Structure formats: structure tokens, C-alpha cells
Amino acid sequence: MNEEQIKQLCIRADETAGEPPFRLITTAGIRRQVRRRRFVRVAVPASLAAVLAVAAALSAIWMRMGGPQPQPQRIASLEEQVQQLQARTDATLKLMQEVLERDRQDRRLAALETELASIPDPVQEIDRQVDKTAFILVYQADKLYKELNQTESAVAAYKEVIQLFPTNQWANVARERLSQIEQRRLNKSDGQKGEPKWEPRNT
Amino acid sequence: MAAMAKVTEELALVERFRRGDDSAFEAIVEQHAAAVAALANRLLGWPGDVDDVVQEVFVAAFFGLKKFRGESSLRTWLFTITVNKCRSFRFRRLRRLRRVAVEEVTARESRERSGEKAALDQEALAQVRRAIQVLPRKYREIVVLRYLQGLEVSEICELLGITANAMQVRLNRARKRLKEQLGDLLEE
């Protein structure tokens, strides 16, 4: 079997197969094909990406919404956690109420202290009134002695101050006046006349 | 002289296409589509439907024609594209074709066992086609281009990018394989 035999056999086999049908392609057809291929090249990956994005989003929503059905142990654990959270919430609320109550009490105490501070001390007030009364008496006695020249009435008034308010400063003043009056009487009896040298003490 | 005129005509068509004349490309398609389809049909094992491959070849030619330098004939250039497209197309079907070939060998052995002495009829010629089809790619392409397309050695060498010596070696080996597969048919 030589080359020519094989060649002829191949040619006969090819001839019996017949001519292949085909369409004549045009430039417009080629351009359409190119446009279609470009579209597919862009659209397929874009569609795939969109589908993947939607699937991911749905998966995320599913995970958030429901997820797998919880097991009884998981339910019990969740209930326990809820109870613990409730107890902690109650304790926190109670503590808050206590803190608020204490704050209210503190504010009330501060208001009372302020009110109390505004009230004058009665002892000091009495002392002030006593001092004032003693002064008035001494003043009137001085007026009797100097202006009205009623020495006896003035001496009586000084003695009254000393009797009523022995520890007061005006009692000392009254004693000083009495001493001066006594001294003047002695001088008068010795033949000396003169006005008293002391002046009423201003308050 | 006629060949020279043909080359000149082809270059004129290509130049017209480069200048934006779509009718020039359609003229090229009209001239070479049948030959391209026949080559694709043979390289793909006579499937009968080579429209997709022909379309792909001319789409590639449409975009590549502007780079065509005229160093080879337009037909050789289109055949080169066809061979490459057929290689890609055939690669996807390779396993299926091999399975078919095995089934055919089994069928032939069965006929031999039955002692049937059939003439070289259509079935036998189909068997020849299948034998060519299951040849390794480098042998199959040589057989198709040399025997069935009737191309010159120089043109085949240019088309496949091989030397004349390499082409002869491949052709001899292809023949040897065909003899092995079609020995009984050839004796008849």
C-alpha cells in the first residue's frame, strides 16, 4: 500500500461526506456578533455579581430574623439570662430610688438649716434687749441728774440699773455715776461747788 | 501570471476594506467561505455543521485583516486562522471523539469476527474518516491539508509554521498510523 492509495482512500472518504452547509457572513452580522459578545461579557459577570449580592443580603436577613430553630437547652439558657437581667434591672431601680430619696432628704435638711440660720439666737437677743434696757435706764438717769437736776431720782435710777442688771456694762456705768455723785456731795459739803465732769456715754 | 493577478486582486480587496469599504470584506468572504468551511469540516472530523467555526474565522479575519501584510496569500492566512479555531473547537470535544473511535474499532472487530466481507462502501469510508479524525492533531492536520485540501508543501509549512522536513516526517507517521488502523480495508 503506497502513499497514493492512502491519499485516494482519504479523498474518496472526504467526497462521500459531502459539502458542509454554512451561512455567508456579512460585515453587519459580524458587528452584531461583536456587540452581542461584548454585552454578554459585561452582562454575565454583572448578573452573577448581582445574584451573589442578593443571596448574601438574603442570607444576612435570614440570619438576623430567624436563623436555625433554638434548642430546648438554648431556650432554658435564654430564659435564665432574661431572669438575671430582670433581677439586675430591679436592683438598679431600687438603688436609684434610694439615691433619689437620700438626695431629697439632703436638700430638705439644707433648707431647714438655712431657715434655722435665719432665726436669731434668743440668748443673744435677750442679752441685746437687756443691754438696751440698761442703757435706756442709765440714759434717763443721766437726763434726770444733769438736765432736770433731780439728783435723788437719778440715784434711784442708777441703783435700779445696778440691781436689775448687775453684770451688765451699764451697771458699771451706773456705779461710776453713783460714785461721782457721792464724790460731788462730799465736795459740796466741803464748800466746793462744781458741775460734774463726766459726760453721758454714747451708745 | 494568473497567480500574480490573483494576489494583486486580493491585496486590492484588503486595501479597499482598510479604507472602510465593507463590500470588499463581503467579497473576500464570498471567495473563501467554501474553502474555509471545507477545511473546518475536515479538521473537525466531518461533523457536517461547521457554521459556528466559519463565523468565528471570519470574525477574527474582520478584526485581523487590517494587520494583514500580504506576506502570504489571503487563502493561507485564512486557513491559518481556521486551523487555530478548529484546534480550540476540537479541544472541547476531544474526549467524546476518542470514545467514539473506540466504539468504532470494537464494531469493526465484531464485523471481522462475523466473517462478513463487505465492499468498500459508505460505512467503510466513514471508517476512514473516523481513522483520520482520531489521529493526533499534528498528523491529522498534515493529512487534511496535504491530501484533502491539496495544498503545496511550502504552503503547508507556512501555514503550520514548520519546516518541509518536519512536514514530511509527520506525513509519513500519519500514513503509518492510518495503515495500522485501516489495514483490512486497504487490503480489500
Side-chain angles (χ1 to χ4, degrees):
Chain A
M1 183 173 54
N2 58 20
E3 181 183 356
E4 190 59 30
Q5 282 179 312
I6 294 173
K7 182 179 176 182
Q8 290 304 320
L9 188 61
C10 291
I11 290 170
R12 282 182 63 192
D14 179 53
E15 286 172 350
T16 53
E19 292 293 322
F22 62 89
R23 286 176 291 131
L24 277 178
I25 190 167
T26 62
T27 51
I30 289 172
R31 290 200 171 98
R32 269 200 305 277
Q33 279 192 21
V34 171
R35 277 199 298 273
R36 197 179 306 130
R37 284 181 191 177
R38 281 181 187 159
F39 175 75
V40 169
R41 212 172 290 160
V42 173
V44 168
S47 305
L48 195 63
V51 167
L52 285 173
V54 168
L58 288 174
S59 174
I61 290 169
W62 181 74
M63 290 292 283
R64 279 188 192 171
M65 294 293 288
Q69 291 298 317
Q71 301 296 321
Q73 289 179 350
R74 186 169 166 76
I75 292 171
S77 172
L78 287 170
E79 284 178 349
E80 191 179 351
Q81 287 181 9
V82 168
Q83 286 175 356
Q84 286 176 357
L85 281 171
Q86 199 166 358
R88 286 172 62 184
T89 307
D90 290 344
T92 307
L93 279 171
K94 192 177 176 183
L95 182 66
M96 281 176 65
Q97 285 174 352
E98 287 176 2
V99 170
L100 286 171
E101 182 64 28
R102 181 169 294 178
D103 183 57
R104 208 164 28 242
Q105 286 176 356
D106 288 346
R107 279 187 291 164
R108 177 69 181 153
L109 184 63
L112 288 172
E113 283 176 350
T114 306
E115 192 178 349
L116 188 63
S118 66
I119 299 171
D121 187 0
V123 177
Q124 289 180 357
E125 183 67 15
I126 290 166
D127 287 344
R128 198 172 63 84
Q129 292 294 334
V130 167
D131 197 57
K132 187 179 177 182
T133 306
F135 165 72
I136 290 168
L137 288 172
V138 170
Y139 178 77
Q140 288 175 346
D142 285 347
K143 206 169 182 178
L144 287 170
Y145 179 67
K146 187 180 176 182
E147 293 178 9
L148 301 176
N149 203 19
Q150 295 178 1
T151 305
E152 294 305 323
S153 298
V155 169
Y158 289 136
K159 286 181 178 176
E160 189 177 2
V161 171
I162 292 167
Q163 185 182 357
L164 288 174
F165 314 107
T167 56
N168 192 272
Q169 58 177 337
W170 293 107
N172 294 332
V173 174
R175 288 189 191 97
E176 189 179 345
R177 296 280 193 277
L178 287 173
S179 174
Q180 288 174 356
I181 289 168
E182 189 65 27
Q183 187 65 34
R184 192 180 171 197
R185 282 179 180 169
L186 288 173
N187 291 339
K188 199 173 182 180
S189 63
D190 290 340
Q192 293 179 355
K193 283 179 86 175
E195 290 299 318
K197 294 183 178 164
W198 54 271
E199 289 296 327
R201 183 177 169 182
N202 292 327
T203 59
Chain B
M1 197 67 176
M4 197 70 167
K6 193 177 178 183
V7 170
T8 308
E9 187 188 348
E10 282 180 353
L11 289 175
L13 280 173
V14 172
E15 190 56 32
R16 275 173 54 200
F17 174 71
R18 281 179 184 157
R19 291 171 187 272
D21 185 358
D22 285 350
S23 65
F25 182 77
E26 285 166 10
I28 291 168
V29 172
E30 199 172 348
Q31 284 177 16
H32 297 285
V36 167
L39 176 59
N41 193 37
R42 288 159 182 158
L43 287 172
L44 294 175
W46 296 272
D49 181 16
V50 292
D51 195 47
D52 290 344
V53 178
V54 174
Q55 299 279 322
E56 282 187 22
V57 169
F58 282 105
V59 168
F62 183 83
F63 290 105
L65 203 56
K66 288 177 182 175
K67 296 175 187 171
F68 180 69
R69 296 190 296 269
E71 291 172 354
S72 63
S73 71
L74 198 54
R75 186 181 75 155
T76 306
W77 186 69
L78 286 171
F79 280 0
T80 306
I81 297 172
T82 308
V83 168
N84 289 327
K85 291 292 177 189
C86 287
R87 285 175 183 172
S88 305
F89 194 83
R90 193 182 167 89
F91 180 75
R92 295 191 287 268
R93 301 189 311 169
L94 190 60
R95 305 186 85 175
R96 184 171 67 84
L97 293 177
R98 282 185 176 164
R99 192 168 60 246
V100 169
V102 170
E103 288 167 1
E104 287 302 318
V105 169
T106 308
R108 190 186 71 189
E109 287 172 350
S110 174
R111 282 197 299 277
E112 284 171 354
R113 278 196 298 273
S114 67
E116 185 184 340
K117 287 288 185 178
L120 198 59
D121 56 3
Q122 294 295 318
E123 178 62 25
L125 290 171
Q127 197 172 332
V128 173
R129 291 194 293 271
R130 288 179 196 119
I132 296 170
Q133 189 183 339
V134 297
L135 282 174
R137 190 191 74 194
K138 57 183 180 181
Y139 301 150
R140 185 180 64 253
E141 287 173 355
I142 293 290
V143 168
V144 168
L145 293 170
R146 181 70 178 143
Y147 290 164
L148 305 182
Q149 289 294 130
L151 299 186
E152 295 297 325
V153 174
S154 59
E155 199 173 2
I156 293 170
C157 292
E158 190 180 355
L159 200 154
L160 296 178
I162 57 175
T163 62
N165 191 33
M167 197 218 81
Q168 282 299 338
V169 169
R170 287 185 188 183
L171 190 58
N172 288 335
R173 287 177 182 172
R175 274 203 303 269
K176 189 178 175 187
R177 291 206 179 203
L178 284 174
K179 277 182 194 173
E180 288 171 3
Q181 290 200 15
L182 304 172
D184 296 341
L185 290 174
L186 291 167
E187 283 171 7
E188 292 164 5

